[in-house]
Amino acid sequence: MREVSFTYLQNDENRVDKYFDLFGFDSRSEFQSIIKDGNFFVNGKKEKQNYKFRENDIVKIIFPEEIKQSTEGIDVPILFENENIIVLNKPPFIAVHGAKSYSGPTLVDWLLDRGYKLSDGEDDTRPGVVHRLDADTSGIIIFAKKNESHSILKKDFQEKNVSKHYFAISNGVSKSDEFTIDKPIARSKNPVKMGIVKGGRRAVSIVKKLDGNDFFTLFDVKIITGRTHQIRVHLASENLPILGDKVYGMKRERINVSRQMLHAHSIEFFEPLTREKIKIEAPIFDDMKEALKKADLSIDKTTYI
């Protein structure tokens, strides 16, 4: 268990959860989790997230002891590997890297437990992490083994030299076989959600219908930009929310699934040091196969790239 204490010197009377990044949290929801667990104190008293700071408040935050979860028994398919990178087919329900609000096993843990050496990353919790997928999203993810390959891959993602395709099972019927969603995304008024926000960062998704019926549609989605929750927010904005999405989806669904039906199935990129073009595809997992069966959809009815 670790404690951090300090004196607040401003007099702006803002809600405490506005300052999540000041306290070292990656998101407001992580900080709110600490507060909810009773680990946030002002002047010796537990406070809630709507407390407003006052000048000379004495603040204490208790970080619970992190218990490393075992990755024994977790099966993560390796799709490609060389001396510079390793590419995995991420199963659902496993996070890419650790966070203050998450105590479960991660892909980073899985790799380190098996003796892989990874690049330094952005911080101690993210060695090798070049890009991310939501915990409930499955599919292709690349890790860098060396700092040089990490730097080059990061630049390739930023300069859009990487082509990524996702399968998405959607609630709803698409009127078009192919369309582009070009809508800006930013954090919404709800701190745990993103939304279509005027003045937000530009986000572009190219959506292609692969199969459909009166209730569900299977899409291939190519993302041109990589914003947080981009595909989920974009499809929801078109009244085509992803099946099983607990944040942006339908409250009542026609079929039961255990998670959002989104899978990163294809990626094309340049090997960071040799600059050889590499294309990798990732098979879907059993839960998505079952969801397709329940929704009476099939990937095999059409070619998708």
Side-chain angles (χ1 to χ4, degrees):
M1 188 172 295
R2 178 170 62 93
E3 294 186 8
V4 175
S5 299
F6 60 93
T7 301
Y8 189 77
L9 299 177
Q10 292 177 262
N11 189 25
D12 51 13
E13 294 193 357
N14 279 313
R15 283 172 52 121
V16 298
D17 55 357
K18 177 182 177 180
Y19 296 97
F20 67 88
D21 52 349
L22 178 67
F23 305 137
F25 294 91
D26 293 325
S27 68
R28 186 174 297 192
S29 60
E30 285 186 23
F31 185 30
Q32 289 172 337
S33 178
I34 289 285
I35 297 172
K36 185 178 179 181
D37 291 341
N39 291 319
F40 178 78
F41 299 80
V42 180
N43 302 323
K45 179 184 174 183
K46 289 182 182 179
E47 291 291 354
K48 298 180 179 180
Q49 65 191 42
N50 61 354
Y51 178 83
K52 292 184 178 181
F53 278 134
R54 297 176 179 86
E55 191 173 5
N56 295 320
D57 275 344
I58 298 174
V59 181
K60 181 172 75 172
I61 301 172
I62 299 176
F63 295 91
E65 183 178 359
E66 294 182 8
I67 303 174
K68 192 175 185 298
Q69 299 290 313
S70 171
T71 61
E72 186 177 351
I74 297 175
D75 181 27
V76 181
I78 297 174
L79 302 173
F80 177 88
E81 181 183 1
N82 66 11
E83 66 274 17
N84 300 315
I85 58 173
I86 183 167
V87 184
L88 305 178
N89 189 7
K90 175 189 169 304
F93 313 118
I94 182 170
V96 173
H97 59 80
K100 294 179 181 67
S101 60
Y102 177 80
S103 60
T106 69
L107 289 183
V108 167
D109 294 334
W110 189 89
L111 288 164
L112 294 178
D113 287 350
R114 282 148 189 80
Y116 285 97
K117 294 187 181 300
L118 301 173
S119 65
D120 292 339
E122 297 175 14
D123 57 46
D124 292 342
T125 67
R126 307 181 195 184
V129 176
V130 178
H131 63 117
R132 299 171 182 80
L133 294 174
D134 295 334
D136 286 358
T137 298
S138 57
I140 295 172
I141 188 158
I142 305 172
F143 286 85
K145 292 182 175 181
K146 301 175 181 178
N147 289 344
E148 185 179 6
S149 54
H150 188 127
S151 176
I152 295 170
L153 278 170
K154 269 287 195 185
K155 185 177 180 181
D156 280 344
F157 271 94
Q158 291 168 355
E159 295 182 351
K160 301 178 178 57
N161 292 325
V162 180
S163 177
K164 293 176 65 180
H165 288 256
Y166 291 72
F167 287 136
I169 303 175
S170 168
N171 288 291
V173 181
S174 173
K175 297 178 181 178
S176 304
D177 290 335
E178 189 167 354
F179 55 98
T180 297
I181 306 174
D182 186 347
K183 297 178 181 179
I185 290 177
R187 195 161 296 280
S188 68
K189 293 180 180 179
N190 183 331
V192 300
K193 294 179 69 174
M194 307 300 286
I196 306 300
V197 178
K198 185 177 180 180
R201 300 179 71 187
R202 189 184 184 198
V204 182
S205 305
I206 299 174
V207 185
K208 182 177 180 181
K209 180 179 177 181
L210 303 181
D211 194 13
N213 51 47
D214 291 340
F215 302 106
F216 303 101
T217 305
L218 173 65
F219 291 117
D220 171 89
V221 184
K222 179 181 179 181
I223 57 171
I224 306 302
T225 54
R227 309 303 178 210
T228 301
H229 299 175
Q230 178 173 318
I231 297 174
R232 298 164 63 192
V233 172
H234 268 176
L235 287 179
S237 76
E238 297 286 323
N239 294 317
L240 296 166
I242 292 175
L243 176 66
D245 192 331
K246 295 178 177 62
V247 178
Y248 306 101
M250 297 172 63
K251 292 183 178 178
R252 291 187 178 182
E253 306 212 277
R254 295 180 179 88
I255 59 177
N256 292 322
V257 293
S258 59
R259 52 109 176 182
Q260 61 212 25
M261 288 294 117
L262 185 62
H263 177 80
H265 73 81
S266 173
I267 194 166
E268 194 167 352
F269 64 100
F270 294 99
E271 206 285 341
L273 298 183
T274 69
R275 304 311 285 167
E276 172 191 4
K277 182 171 278 192
I278 297 174
K279 182 178 178 180
I280 297 173
E281 296 183 1
I284 61 174
F285 289 92
D286 288 344
D287 64 340
M288 197 166 195
K289 291 178 183 177
E290 182 64 25
L292 286 167
K293 185 177 178 180
K294 287 181 179 179
D296 193 26
L297 297 170
S298 173
I299 292 173
D300 300 324
K301 287 183 180 180
T302 182
T303 55
Y304 47 80
I305 298 177

